[in-house]
């Protein structure tokens, strides 16, 4: 399928961000806007198809950027049969990191687990960075400089993104460094800031309480964590096992779901398993939508052409002192929250209460 800017670009207004006043929201990505999960995963596979034939004689490591490109990277790695690791902003005990910064972001610190890059280095020829959008390419050049310093220039590099908004000057800079670029849609950001300013920001804003709410919890063991180096094929198998366990433990929820409207929610960096489960439910005949909680504080607005109309402020399921958000929760027959977060009751209940504004049948799946 050929994708266009109209397919993949909606302009939203960032809240209180002096670096850049707009955010590109992709309606097919499964992050901010609820999406049919197969459409998101097909999009990510299409990105992998842009480079899958190019490096058949090289051993690849794909690196997906947190938080919005983690699922893109996982599906791309599965599509090309490569090893995978994502960057993270979470704390992983007992590891060493490579630190770098992300431009324009509300949460700039990014980390890669250095121990895992050390482990992969001997068998890796090329690192391919996976992003949802690349605008200047500066973030990726930062991490390449760090990797070159740490590993004596061992790796070749490529970048694959759904969108590429780089200027001619930045494209030329990449060409001089020998960094190949792949993307589905070329964008011009010159009007995006002015477009964002026209929106009123008069949508619905909810601050969700951390009070007790009714829901069901199931626990599934043998989580595979993409913040650490993984074999993408084994990751897909682990997600398949997760789906089997959900079916086994929920029984009546996943039986006879044909024709039912079902919501599947991921949490922050943990997006791919939710999309995977959602696609499985689609194949059972359900009408499924997926999206995820996010750190991004985006203004919501009532204009018809604006992508987001209601915002729910939460306590992060990973850190109750951190604000996170979810947007545009609809009404469904059943809602499934799939997470790998620690079990922090007050945080979880803010998300439950957001979902409960329109939904009563809620199950939390904890992959632990």
């Amino acid at each position: 399928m050929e994708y266009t800017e109209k397919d993949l670009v909606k302009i939203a207004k960032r809240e209180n961000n002096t670096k850049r006043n707009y955010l590109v929201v992709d309606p097919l990505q499964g992050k901010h806007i609820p999406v049919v999960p197969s459409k998101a995963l097909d999009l990510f596979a299409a990105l992998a198809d842009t480079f899958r034939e190019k490096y058949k004689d090289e051993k690849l490591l794909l690196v997906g950027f947190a938080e919005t490109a983690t699922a893109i990277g996982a599906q791309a790695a599965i599509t090309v049969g490569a090893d995978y690791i994502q960057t993270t902003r979470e704390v992983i005990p007992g590891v060493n990191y490579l630190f770098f910064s992300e431009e324009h972001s509300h949460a700039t610190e990014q980390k890669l687990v250095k121990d895992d890059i050390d482990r992969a280095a001997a068998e890796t020829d090329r690192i391919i960075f996976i992003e949802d959008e690349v605008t200047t390419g500066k973030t990726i050049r930062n991490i390449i400089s760090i990797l070159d310093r740490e590993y004596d220039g061992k790796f070749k590099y490529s970048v694959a993104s759904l969108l590429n908004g780089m200027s001619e000057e930045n494209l030329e800079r990449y060409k001089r460094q020998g960094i190949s670029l792949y993307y589905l849609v070329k964008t011009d950001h010159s009007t995006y800031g002015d477009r964002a300013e026209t929106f009123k920001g008069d949508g619905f804003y909810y601050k969700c309480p951390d009070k007790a709410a009714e829901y069901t919890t199931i626990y599934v063991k043998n989580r595979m964590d993409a913040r650490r180096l993984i074999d993408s094929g084994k990751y897909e198998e682990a997600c398949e096992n997760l789906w089997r366990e959900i079916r086994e433990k929920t029984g009546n929820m996943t039986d006879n779901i044909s024709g039912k409207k079902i919501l599947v929610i991921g949490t922050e960096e943990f997006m791919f398993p939710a999309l995977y489960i959602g696609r499985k439910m689609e194949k059972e005949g359900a009408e499924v939508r997926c999206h995820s909680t996010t750190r991004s504080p985006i203004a919501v607005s009532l204009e018809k052409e604006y992508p987001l109309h209601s915002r729910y402020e939460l306590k992060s399921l990973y850190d109750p002192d951190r604000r996170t958000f979810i947007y545009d929760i609809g009404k469904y027959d059943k809602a499934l929250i799939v997470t790998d977060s620690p079990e922090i009751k007050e945080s979880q209940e803010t998300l439950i209460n957001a979902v409960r504004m329109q939904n009563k049948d809620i199950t939390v799946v904890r992959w632990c």
Side-chain angles (χ1 to χ4, degrees), residues 27-31 33-40 275 288-291:
L28 296 184
Q29 194 176 336
K31 187 60 176 176
I33 298 174
V35 68
V36 176
S38 60
K39 289 186 176 181
L275 287 162
V288 187
R289 296 292 181 273
C290 279
H291 55 140

Side-chain angles (χ1 to χ4, degrees), residues 225-264:
D225 187 358
R227 299 176 187 89
R228 307 298 307 270
L229 180 68
I230 56 171
D231 174 308
S232 63
K234 289 180 180 175
Y235 188 50
E236 187 176 31
E237 286 175 21
C239 290
E240 182 65 29
N241 289 333
L242 171 62
W243 163 241
R244 287 198 199 103
E245 288 273 330
I246 290 170
R247 291 205 65 165
E248 191 177 306
K249 293 188 176 188
T250 57
N252 64 349
M253 180 185 159
T254 49
D255 290 339
N256 304 314
I257 59 174
S258 182
K260 300 284 189 183
K261 289 186 69 176
I262 296 179
L263 171 64
V264 185

Side-chain angles (χ1 to χ4, degrees), residues 341-359:
S341 68
E343 195 161 10
I344 304 168
K345 192 175 179 187
E346 62 177 300
S347 296
Q348 183 167 289
E349 286 174 348
T350 62
L351 177 54
I352 298 292
N353 282 311
V355 178
R356 278 188 68 82
M357 288 179 71
Q358 294 196 71
N359 302 278

